Structures are given as C-alpha cells and as structure tokens.
Amino acid sequence: MLIGRAKEQKTLLSLLDNSESQFCVVYGRRRVGKTYLIRETFHYKFAFQHTGVARGNYREQLRAFRDSLRMSGLQKCNIPKNWSDAFGMLKELIMQAPAGKKVIFIDELPWMDTPKSNMIGALEHFWNGWVTSRAEKDIVLIVCGSASSWVSKNLLRDKGGLRGRFTEKIKLMPFTLTECEQYARAAGLVMERKDIFEMYMILGGIPYYWSFLHRGNSISQNIDELFFVEDAKLKDEFQALYHTLFKRPDNYLKVIEALTKRRSGLTREEILRSTKLEDGGTFSQVLDELEQCGFVRRYVAFNKEGNGALFQLIDNYTLFYYYCIRKNAFSDEQYWSHTCLSNEHNAWKGLAFERVCLQHVAQIKHALGIGGIVSNVCSWSGKGAQIDMVIARGDNVINICEMKFCNGEYAIDKKYAEDLDRKMITFREETGTRSALHLTMVTTYGVSHNQYWNKVQSEVLMDDLFNQ
C-alpha cells in the first residue's frame, strides 16, 4: 500500500528510460519508507539487491554481500577479500544477467562503510572504471541510506571520483498530515482529523510508526499499545533510532537532551555550556548530522541574519519520548489513558502543536493567501517576549503567528490579550520594523468571537494544515 510518493516514483521510473546508465541516491530519515518506496516502484525485481548490516564489522559486511550475490544467482563465490573483490563479483553477476536494464539496489550503504574498508573507493572504481565504460548502457544503480549526513558528506558532496556522477538524488520526506490521512483511510482506521493531528504530534509523518496502529482502538489505546505495554512495538525505538544512525550516539543525545530544556532552541554557545562538550570540528559535525537527519532545525531569528543561529528540537517522536515516555517512571501500561488529560501532557500538546505547524509552513502560507508572495519564515525573541513563527512578507506585512492547541474554539481572555499587546509593541520597538503587523492565530477550531477577537487579523485552522 504505497501512499503518496508520486513524484518520487516518477523520478525512479524515469531512470529506466534513459539511454545512459543511471546512478541514483535515495536518502532520508530512518523509518521514512525509502526501502519500501524503491521495492514497490520496481515490483521487487532487481538484478541485485543488498542491505548493509547494522553495526556490522568489516568481515560481517563482506559476508553479507556474498550472501546477497548468491541469492541473486551468483552461486560460486567465496567471501570477498575486500570491497574491490566484492564489486568484482558483482560485475560477474551483471555480465551473466539477461539483456536489458539491470536495476542494482544497495540499501543502507552507510552501514557498509566500516573504518579503513575503502568501500567508497571500490564503489567509485566500480562505477567510473567499469559501469560507465561499458558499451551497454543498461545499469541503474540505486544506493540508499538513513544516515543523511553520511550520504551528504561521502556521496553528494564528495570531492573525489564520485563528484558529479549522480544522475538523480531523492530526499524522501516524512508524510504530511494529508498523506497520513490518506494512509489512515487506506488502512481502514476510523480517525477524525483531530485524532490524526494528535497522532501526528507523536509519530510525525513516519509511515513505519503509523503501520502499527490498530483498527478499532481509540487514540489512547493505540498509544498505550505502541509505547507503554510490556511488549509495546515501539518501546525501545528511541535507543534503536539513535544507536543505528550514529556510531557513537552519546554526544548526539547530550545535545538532544539540552534542546528539550528550551522550546525556542539554543545557540551553539548555549549548547556547549549545557552539554560541557568540547568546541571544535567534532561538535560541529554532531550539530550538522542532527540537522541533516531531521531531528533538529537550525534557524536565524528575525533581523539577525548571519548571527546567533538557534538550534531547535523538531522531531515529533523524540519530543514525545522526552516529555512523556521517559516520565512513565512506574511503568504504567495504561499511562496515556490515565494521564492524557493532565496539565503536564497539555503542556506537551501545546509544544507539539507548534512543531506540527512549523512542519506545515507551506500550508499556513497557502491558507493566508500568500503562497506566491516572497516571504521569510523565522522566529524572534526579545525582552520577555517570544514569537515562534514570524512571516516577513515582501508586500510590507509581517504575520505574527500565535499557535494554540485547544479541544474547541480558543478564547482570548483579558490576560492573554494584554500579553499579545505587549508582545506586538516589544517586537516593533526592538526590531524597528515599519511593516504592518498582522496577528495571525493558528488554532485547531478557530478563535471565539468574544470582546478580544478584533485583535486577530487572520486565522488558520487545523483543517487548513491538511491541504496539499
């Protein structure tokens, strides 16, 4: 059941129509559906298919490659001595294959790159020294990886022989709310949009997580079964997620934990102080890889271009883990059902709602009718004031977006109205902007039309975020 991904499928299938051999890189967050997309698109028909071994050593990677060669039809082959030997065996397999396009799919390539293995050098020689020199332009090589930072550094930004050799690259993004709604319908899950939205605040748009939802269960029942019962499907997902992506995850997790302490994010210097990590290239690599893998977003506050970049935790599941899963100290198997109405969880919902809005900026701009207007989306913080979404438009208007999760219409009371006035005044004074400031409320079901409603210039509702 392949939902969405029409553009990506079209790109993959176009590889078969090209008159030259093709080299495609597919990358994206772990569990986002890269492998499933490729297998479904080519109907599981490959001249050769292989998956790297998670945390496998050099010998284990070569042995697994040999096993895949055997499964693909190369019967007489021993364990390769090195990667040059391994790709030499792959050449033999290809030469034995029938005429026509041959799709070679190597999944989780980063896992195969063990220390001092020279796997990348052997792959480069295989492509540049053999594939492209063949008279038969019949090979479609697709490599895939969840470690997006590794893919970027070692493939897409490679300064050696692979530079410029890729004919296509696909970064597979998580599902949008609309695609999750389509998935729920196709899976026979009876869920209202608010249910889908709340589940998205926990699971994000990761299809693998959504595949575990059970028909007939309430939202609370599904969450308890996914995370809190003794044999919960995703009980150990947090450790697996970070330990699979990063060979030494401790420093990455220190940064992630530091970012849970401030919802607006931290500067590089603040992260260093909080984690007590050493400044330098290794620390820069940690930040870059967390950003590349989609766990953290880097942004610059309004009117501070080039200075004081902030790093903010953006991954829905990771946020849920720290705010909810880790706090189940007594291992209550019905933790969510018992506590989902608590003040603590309501605070998490407000934060998670903001994250989903930040992941659907295009839909917010469309709802405001400014999709075609040049704009810069950022955040801002000043003296006692924080604005999580500022849309600075090319038509001399700035949308000050307030994001509020509520089970019904959101009612602006006197205290909040005064806070809004103070926030708008502080923003104008500290930024010196002369643009018109439009207060935009992004809520689940809209804003109640009480005596303070006239402060609002525009509204975006939950339904608007489901638009493509």
Side-chain angles (χ1 to χ4, degrees), residues 282-322:
T282 300
F283 179 71
S284 296
Q285 182 179 344
V286 168
L287 291 179
D288 181 61
E289 291 186 358
L290 286 172
E291 184 181 359
Q292 290 282 343
C293 291
F295 297 115
V296 169
R297 79 168 182 128
R298 179 183 183 276
Y299 71 95
V300 178
F302 183 81
N303 271 6
K304 292 185 179 180
E305 287 77 3
N307 295 310
L310 290 167
F311 296 86
Q312 184 183 50
L313 179 60
I314 194 71
D315 183 64
N316 306 61
Y317 167 71
T318 301
L319 197 72
F320 179 72
Y321 172 83
Y322 277 98

Short mmCIF file of all heavy atoms in Angstrom, two decimals, residues 282-322:
data_model
loop_
_atom_site.label_atom_id
_atom_site.label_comp_id
_atom_site.label_asym_id
_atom_site.label_seq_id
_atom_site.Cartn_x
_atom_site.Cartn_y
_atom_site.Cartn_z
N THR A 282 34.42 18.27 15.71
CA THR A 282 33.58 17.13 16.08
C THR A 282 32.21 17.61 16.55
O THR A 282 31.17 17.03 16.19
CB THR A 282 34.25 16.29 17.18
OG1 THR A 282 35.51 15.81 16.69
CG2 THR A 282 33.38 15.11 17.56
N PHE A 283 32.20 18.67 17.34
CA PHE A 283 30.92 19.22 17.81
C PHE A 283 30.11 19.77 16.64
O PHE A 283 28.89 19.57 16.56
CB PHE A 283 31.18 20.31 18.84
CG PHE A 283 29.93 20.96 19.37
CD1 PHE A 283 29.08 20.28 20.22
CD2 PHE A 283 29.60 22.26 18.99
CE1 PHE A 283 27.92 20.87 20.69
CE2 PHE A 283 28.45 22.86 19.47
CZ PHE A 283 27.60 22.17 20.32
N SER A 284 30.78 20.45 15.72
CA SER A 284 30.09 20.97 14.53
C SER A 284 29.47 19.83 13.73
O SER A 284 28.37 19.95 13.20
CB SER A 284 31.07 21.75 13.64
OG SER A 284 31.56 22.89 14.32
N GLN A 285 30.19 18.72 13.66
CA GLN A 285 29.68 17.55 12.93
C GLN A 285 28.43 16.99 13.60
O GLN A 285 27.48 16.60 12.92
CB GLN A 285 30.76 16.47 12.85
CG GLN A 285 30.34 15.23 12.07
CD GLN A 285 31.44 14.19 11.98
OE1 GLN A 285 32.60 14.48 12.23
NE2 GLN A 285 31.07 12.98 11.63
N VAL A 286 28.42 16.96 14.92
CA VAL A 286 27.24 16.48 15.65
C VAL A 286 26.02 17.33 15.31
O VAL A 286 24.94 16.81 14.99
CB VAL A 286 27.50 16.48 17.17
CG1 VAL A 286 26.21 16.26 17.95
CG2 VAL A 286 28.53 15.41 17.53
N LEU A 287 26.17 18.66 15.37
CA LEU A 287 25.06 19.56 15.05
C LEU A 287 24.60 19.38 13.61
O LEU A 287 23.40 19.32 13.32
CB LEU A 287 25.47 21.01 15.29
CG LEU A 287 25.70 21.44 16.74
CD1 LEU A 287 26.14 22.90 16.78
CD2 LEU A 287 24.45 21.23 17.58
N ASP A 288 25.57 19.28 12.70
CA ASP A 288 25.24 19.13 11.28
C ASP A 288 24.50 17.83 11.02
O ASP A 288 23.51 17.80 10.28
CB ASP A 288 26.52 19.17 10.45
CG ASP A 288 26.25 19.05 8.96
OD1 ASP A 288 25.54 19.92 8.41
OD2 ASP A 288 26.73 18.08 8.34
N GLU A 289 24.94 16.74 11.64
CA GLU A 289 24.30 15.45 11.40
C GLU A 289 22.90 15.39 12.00
O GLU A 289 21.99 14.80 11.41
CB GLU A 289 25.19 14.33 11.94
CG GLU A 289 26.48 14.17 11.14
CD GLU A 289 27.30 12.97 11.56
OE1 GLU A 289 26.90 12.27 12.52
OE2 GLU A 289 28.36 12.73 10.94
N LEU A 290 22.71 15.99 13.16
CA LEU A 290 21.37 16.03 13.74
C LEU A 290 20.42 16.83 12.85
O LEU A 290 19.24 16.48 12.70
CB LEU A 290 21.41 16.64 15.14
CG LEU A 290 22.00 15.74 16.24
CD1 LEU A 290 22.18 16.53 17.53
CD2 LEU A 290 21.11 14.53 16.48
N GLU A 291 20.93 17.89 12.25
CA GLU A 291 20.12 18.69 11.33
C GLU A 291 19.85 17.93 10.05
O GLU A 291 18.70 17.89 9.56
CB GLU A 291 20.83 20.01 11.02
CG GLU A 291 20.01 20.95 10.15
CD GLU A 291 20.74 22.25 9.85
OE1 GLU A 291 21.88 22.44 10.33
OE2 GLU A 291 20.18 23.08 9.11
N GLN A 292 20.87 17.29 9.49
CA GLN A 292 20.72 16.53 8.25
C GLN A 292 19.71 15.39 8.40
O GLN A 292 18.96 15.07 7.48
CB GLN A 292 22.07 15.96 7.81
CG GLN A 292 23.06 16.99 7.31
CD GLN A 292 22.78 17.46 5.91
OE1 GLN A 292 22.04 16.83 5.18
NE2 GLN A 292 23.35 18.59 5.54
N CYS A 293 19.69 14.78 9.59
CA CYS A 293 18.80 13.64 9.83
C CYS A 293 17.38 14.07 10.21
O CYS A 293 16.51 13.22 10.41
CB CYS A 293 19.37 12.73 10.91
SG CYS A 293 20.86 11.84 10.39
N GLY A 294 17.14 15.37 10.34
CA GLY A 294 15.79 15.85 10.59
C GLY A 294 15.37 15.91 12.03
O GLY A 294 14.19 16.12 12.33
N PHE A 295 16.30 15.74 12.96
CA PHE A 295 15.95 15.81 14.38
C PHE A 295 15.96 17.25 14.89
O PHE A 295 15.24 17.59 15.83
CB PHE A 295 16.92 14.98 15.22
CG PHE A 295 16.89 13.51 14.91
CD1 PHE A 295 17.99 12.87 14.37
CD2 PHE A 295 15.74 12.77 15.15
CE1 PHE A 295 17.96 11.53 14.07
CE2 PHE A 295 15.70 11.42 14.85
CZ PHE A 295 16.81 10.79 14.31
N VAL A 296 16.77 18.06 14.29
CA VAL A 296 16.96 19.44 14.74
C VAL A 296 16.82 20.37 13.55
O VAL A 296 17.19 20.03 12.43
CB VAL A 296 18.38 19.59 15.36
CG1 VAL A 296 18.73 21.05 15.60
CG2 VAL A 296 18.46 18.81 16.68
N ARG A 297 16.24 21.54 13.79
CA ARG A 297 16.23 22.57 12.74
C ARG A 297 17.09 23.74 13.20
O ARG A 297 17.14 24.08 14.38
CB ARG A 297 14.81 23.03 12.42
CG ARG A 297 14.21 24.02 13.41
CD ARG A 297 12.93 24.64 12.86
NE ARG A 297 12.38 25.62 13.78
CZ ARG A 297 12.05 26.86 13.46
NH1 ARG A 297 12.20 27.28 12.22
NH2 ARG A 297 11.56 27.70 14.36
N ARG A 298 17.79 24.31 12.25
CA ARG A 298 18.63 25.48 12.50
C ARG A 298 17.93 26.68 11.89
O ARG A 298 17.53 26.63 10.72
CB ARG A 298 20.01 25.29 11.87
CG ARG A 298 20.97 26.45 12.04
CD ARG A 298 22.26 26.15 11.29
NE ARG A 298 23.25 27.19 11.45
CZ ARG A 298 23.31 28.30 10.72
NH1 ARG A 298 22.43 28.51 9.76
NH2 ARG A 298 24.24 29.20 10.94
N TYR A 299 17.75 27.72 12.66
CA TYR A 299 17.09 28.90 12.12
C TYR A 299 17.72 30.17 12.69
O TYR A 299 18.41 30.13 13.72
CB TYR A 299 15.59 28.88 12.41
CG TYR A 299 15.21 29.11 13.85
CD1 TYR A 299 14.89 30.39 14.31
CD2 TYR A 299 15.15 28.06 14.76
CE1 TYR A 299 14.53 30.62 15.63
CE2 TYR A 299 14.79 28.27 16.09
CZ TYR A 299 14.49 29.56 16.50
OH TYR A 299 14.13 29.77 17.82
N VAL A 300 17.50 31.26 11.98
CA VAL A 300 18.03 32.56 12.42
C VAL A 300 16.84 33.44 12.80
O VAL A 300 15.85 33.52 12.06
CB VAL A 300 18.85 33.22 11.30
CG1 VAL A 300 19.36 34.59 11.75
CG2 VAL A 300 20.03 32.33 10.92
N ALA A 301 16.92 34.08 13.94
CA ALA A 301 15.83 34.92 14.41
C ALA A 301 15.65 36.14 13.51
O ALA A 301 16.55 36.54 12.77
CB ALA A 301 16.08 35.36 15.85
N PHE A 302 14.47 36.73 13.57
CA PHE A 302 14.14 37.90 12.76
C PHE A 302 15.14 39.03 12.97
O PHE A 302 15.50 39.36 14.10
CB PHE A 302 12.72 38.39 13.11
CG PHE A 302 12.25 39.55 12.28
CD1 PHE A 302 11.74 39.35 11.01
CD2 PHE A 302 12.32 40.85 12.78
CE1 PHE A 302 11.30 40.43 10.25
CE2 PHE A 302 11.89 41.92 12.04
CZ PHE A 302 11.38 41.71 10.77
N ASN A 303 15.61 39.62 11.86
CA ASN A 303 16.54 40.75 11.88
C ASN A 303 17.92 40.39 12.45
O ASN A 303 18.67 41.26 12.86
CB ASN A 303 15.98 41.93 12.68
CG ASN A 303 15.16 42.85 11.79
OD1 ASN A 303 14.93 42.55 10.62
ND2 ASN A 303 14.73 43.98 12.34
N LYS A 304 18.25 39.07 12.45
CA LYS A 304 19.56 38.67 12.95
C LYS A 304 20.25 37.75 11.95
O LYS A 304 20.93 36.80 12.33
CB LYS A 304 19.43 37.97 14.30
CG LYS A 304 18.98 38.88 15.42
CD LYS A 304 18.99 38.17 16.75
CE LYS A 304 18.54 39.11 17.87
NZ LYS A 304 18.53 38.42 19.19
N GLU A 305 20.06 38.03 10.66
CA GLU A 305 20.65 37.21 9.63
C GLU A 305 22.15 37.09 9.83
O GLU A 305 22.86 38.08 9.96
CB GLU A 305 20.35 37.80 8.24
CG GLU A 305 18.92 37.63 7.77
CD GLU A 305 17.95 38.59 8.42
OE1 GLU A 305 18.42 39.44 9.20
OE2 GLU A 305 16.73 38.50 8.17
N GLY A 306 22.61 35.84 9.83
CA GLY A 306 24.05 35.59 9.92
C GLY A 306 24.59 35.57 11.33
O GLY A 306 25.75 35.23 11.55
N ASN A 307 23.78 35.94 12.32
CA ASN A 307 24.28 35.99 13.70
C ASN A 307 23.35 35.20 14.63
O ASN A 307 22.13 35.23 14.48
CB ASN A 307 24.34 37.45 14.21
CG ASN A 307 25.34 38.28 13.42
OD1 ASN A 307 26.48 37.87 13.25
ND2 ASN A 307 24.90 39.42 12.94
N GLY A 308 23.95 34.51 15.57
CA GLY A 308 23.19 33.87 16.63
C GLY A 308 22.18 32.85 16.18
O GLY A 308 21.04 32.86 16.63
N ALA A 309 22.58 31.95 15.27
CA ALA A 309 21.67 30.89 14.83
C ALA A 309 21.24 30.05 16.02
O ALA A 309 22.01 29.78 16.94
CB ALA A 309 22.35 30.02 13.78
N LEU A 310 19.98 29.62 16.01
CA LEU A 310 19.42 28.78 17.06
C LEU A 310 19.19 27.38 16.53
O LEU A 310 18.86 27.19 15.36
CB LEU A 310 18.10 29.37 17.57
CG LEU A 310 18.20 30.67 18.37
CD1 LEU A 310 16.82 31.28 18.53
CD2 LEU A 310 18.81 30.42 19.74
N PHE A 311 19.35 26.40 17.42
CA PHE A 311 19.09 25.01 17.08
C PHE A 311 17.90 24.56 17.92
O PHE A 311 17.89 24.71 19.14
CB PHE A 311 20.31 24.14 17.35
CG PHE A 311 21.50 24.51 16.50
CD1 PHE A 311 22.37 25.52 16.91
CD2 PHE A 311 21.73 23.88 15.29
CE1 PHE A 311 23.46 25.87 16.13
CE2 PHE A 311 22.81 24.23 14.50
CZ PHE A 311 23.68 25.22 14.91
N GLN A 312 16.90 24.00 17.25
CA GLN A 312 15.65 23.66 17.94
C GLN A 312 15.27 22.21 17.65
O GLN A 312 15.35 21.74 16.50
CB GLN A 312 14.54 24.58 17.44
CG GLN A 312 13.19 24.40 18.13
CD GLN A 312 12.14 25.30 17.52
OE1 GLN A 312 11.95 25.33 16.31
NE2 GLN A 312 11.45 26.07 18.36
N LEU A 313 14.88 21.48 18.67
CA LEU A 313 14.41 20.10 18.50
C LEU A 313 13.09 20.12 17.73
O LEU A 313 12.14 20.77 18.15
CB LEU A 313 14.22 19.44 19.87
CG LEU A 313 13.69 18.00 19.88
CD1 LEU A 313 14.64 17.08 19.13
CD2 LEU A 313 13.50 17.53 21.31
N ILE A 314 13.04 19.38 16.60
CA ILE A 314 11.87 19.44 15.74
C ILE A 314 11.23 18.08 15.54
O ILE A 314 10.09 17.98 15.08
CB ILE A 314 12.26 20.06 14.36
CG1 ILE A 314 11.03 20.47 13.56
CG2 ILE A 314 13.14 19.10 13.57
CD1 ILE A 314 10.32 21.68 14.10
N ASP A 315 11.93 16.99 15.88
CA ASP A 315 11.41 15.65 15.64
C ASP A 315 10.28 15.31 16.61
O ASP A 315 10.46 15.35 17.83
CB ASP A 315 12.54 14.62 15.78
CG ASP A 315 12.07 13.21 15.47
OD1 ASP A 315 11.67 12.96 14.32
OD2 ASP A 315 12.09 12.37 16.40
N ASN A 316 9.14 14.96 16.07
CA ASN A 316 7.94 14.74 16.89
C ASN A 316 8.13 13.59 17.88
O ASN A 316 7.81 13.72 19.07
CB ASN A 316 6.74 14.44 15.99
CG ASN A 316 6.51 15.50 14.94
OD1 ASN A 316 7.38 15.74 14.09
ND2 ASN A 316 5.36 16.14 14.95
N TYR A 317 8.61 12.46 17.38
CA TYR A 317 8.75 11.30 18.24
C TYR A 317 9.75 11.55 19.37
O TYR A 317 9.51 11.19 20.53
CB TYR A 317 9.18 10.06 17.43
CG TYR A 317 9.65 8.94 18.32
CD1 TYR A 317 8.74 8.22 19.11
CD2 TYR A 317 11.00 8.62 18.43
CE1 TYR A 317 9.17 7.22 19.96
CE2 TYR A 317 11.43 7.61 19.27
CZ TYR A 317 10.51 6.92 20.04
OH TYR A 317 10.94 5.93 20.89
N THR A 318 10.89 12.19 19.05
CA THR A 318 11.89 12.47 20.08
C THR A 318 11.32 13.38 21.16
O THR A 318 11.55 13.19 22.36
CB THR A 318 13.14 13.12 19.45
OG1 THR A 318 13.69 12.23 18.47
CG2 THR A 318 14.19 13.42 20.50
N LEU A 319 10.56 14.39 20.75
CA LEU A 319 9.91 15.29 21.69
C LEU A 319 8.96 14.51 22.61
O LEU A 319 8.94 14.70 23.83
CB LEU A 319 9.14 16.37 20.93
CG LEU A 319 8.74 17.62 21.69
CD1 LEU A 319 9.96 18.48 21.98
CD2 LEU A 319 7.72 18.42 20.90
N PHE A 320 8.18 13.62 22.03
CA PHE A 320 7.24 12.80 22.79
C PHE A 320 7.99 11.90 23.77
O PHE A 320 7.55 11.71 24.92
CB PHE A 320 6.39 11.97 21.84
CG PHE A 320 5.41 11.07 22.51
CD1 PHE A 320 4.28 11.59 23.13
CD2 PHE A 320 5.59 9.70 22.53
CE1 PHE A 320 3.36 10.76 23.77
CE2 PHE A 320 4.68 8.86 23.15
CZ PHE A 320 3.57 9.39 23.77
N TYR A 321 9.12 11.36 23.34
CA TYR A 321 9.89 10.48 24.22
C TYR A 321 10.32 11.22 25.48
O TYR A 321 10.14 10.73 26.60
CB TYR A 321 11.12 9.94 23.47
CG TYR A 321 12.05 9.18 24.38
CD1 TYR A 321 11.81 7.85 24.68
CD2 TYR A 321 13.17 9.80 24.95
CE1 TYR A 321 12.65 7.14 25.53
CE2 TYR A 321 14.01 9.10 25.80
CZ TYR A 321 13.75 7.78 26.09
OH TYR A 321 14.58 7.09 26.94
N TYR A 322 10.88 12.41 25.32
CA TYR A 322 11.39 13.13 26.48
C TYR A 322 10.29 13.68 27.37
O TYR A 322 10.43 13.72 28.60
CB TYR A 322 12.32 14.27 26.03
CG TYR A 322 13.72 13.80 25.76
CD1 TYR A 322 14.14 13.51 24.47
CD2 TYR A 322 14.63 13.63 26.80
CE1 TYR A 322 15.44 13.07 24.23
CE2 TYR A 322 15.92 13.19 26.57
CZ TYR A 322 16.31 12.90 25.28
OH TYR A 322 17.59 12.46 25.04
#
